[in-house]
Amino acid sequence: MNLKEHIHWLQRDNNSRRQTAVTFSYLGKLKPTGRGELQECKNHLQSLLFQSILQNPVSKSPLIVGLTESGIIPSALMHQNAREQGIDAQWLCSTRRPAAGICFSESHSHSPNHILPLPQKQPTELWFVEDEITTGRTVLNLAIHLCSLLSVKYIRFFALADTRSKAQIDQFSSILASHSIYSSTHT
């Protein structure tokens, strides 16, 4: 998958907290997306999953987490990939609608308040699947909270794009390690 063909940089006039943004053609935000684009994205995520498994085998019951709106499609595709590999993964996405679960905020968003439902069974590791990681603050804070709440010590982060600097990536990993959380990032 050549991401350059599918990535779109946008100037935004409807969100004072985030003047620039990135979107991908497979999300269908700019124009309808097709089966071929979704399959390309799924294949790319599958290659990230395989790289991740080579580094660290998957534990018994991972929980795949997607954040609304842009994380729904990639997390759904990753869930399909996991199931096709025989991985017994759960899948949850946050919502902005009233629901039971964990409340958190995505400060740069046009609609910052989210709720993530709780999983039906105890996960053994967490997989955050996103279209992009910009600063990582939202997933970092949510990951720390979820790990504490669910007694999980390992997280995999998957993203099609990671625009953080090396210093931001190092700080991200350091903060997780200070909470005794081990992680890997695959982009």
Side-chain angles (χ1 to χ4, degrees), residues 120-181:
Q120 292 183 348
K121 63 181 181 179
Q122 174 67 36
T124 53
E125 63 181 83
L126 301 176
W127 298 5
F128 284 88
V129 185
E130 284 290 305
D131 61 334
E132 64 158 325
I133 301 174
T134 308
T135 66
R137 281 184 304 221
T138 301
V139 291
L140 177 65
N141 293 330
L142 181 58
I144 291 168
H145 184 72
L146 276 177
C147 283
S148 174
L149 183 68
L150 300 173
S151 299
V152 172
K153 294 295 181 189
Y154 185 68
I155 305 173
R156 298 172 204 252
F157 296 95
F158 298 95
L160 297 178
D162 187 346
T163 59
R164 298 175 294 171
S165 68
K166 180 170 179 357
Q168 288 174 311
I169 292 169
D170 292 344
Q171 182 182 31
F172 185 93
S173 297
S174 177
I175 291 169
L176 287 172
S178 73
H179 289 273
S180 300
I181 300 168

Side-chain angles (χ1 to χ4, degrees), residues 80-95:
Q80 287 179 354
N81 283 328
R83 300 300 269 188
E84 288 169 5
Q85 296 305 312
I87 299 168
D88 183 26
Q90 298 178 83
W91 172 48
L92 292 175
C93 288
S94 68
T95 181

Side-chain angles (χ1 to χ4, degrees), residues 10-119:
L10 308 171
Q11 286 295 117
R12 299 177 69 166
D13 56 6
N14 64 343
N15 184 348
S16 61
R17 295 182 181 128
R18 192 172 186 189
Q19 296 298 312
T20 60
V22 172
T23 192
F24 295 85
S25 58
Y26 72 87
L27 291 176
K29 288 185 172 187
L30 300 177
K31 62 180 183 167
T33 190
R35 180 181 307 215
E37 287 175 317
L38 290 172
Q39 187 62 50
E40 285 182 42
C41 182
K42 183 179 176 194
N43 292 347
H44 183 71
L45 289 167
Q46 183 180 59
S47 71
L48 295 178
L49 177 59
F50 289 163
Q51 292 169 17
S52 172
I53 292 170
L54 286 174
Q55 289 179 1
N56 191 14
V58 175
S59 62
K60 184 180 178 186
S61 181
L63 171 62
I64 298 171
V65 178
L67 303 185
T68 203
E69 287 109 4
S70 297
I72 294 173
I73 290 174
S75 64
L77 295 173
M78 183 62 84
H79 185 250
Q80 287 179 354
N81 283 328
R83 300 300 269 188
E84 288 169 5
Q85 296 305 312
I87 299 168
D88 183 26
Q90 298 178 83
W91 172 48
L92 292 175
C93 288
S94 68
T95 181
R96 292 189 172 110
R97 300 181 188 277
I102 300 164
C103 298
F104 67 97
S105 180
E106 186 179 26
S107 62
H108 63 273
S109 177
H110 67 284
S111 181
N113 299 319
H114 290 252
I115 299 170
L116 182 69
L118 292 172

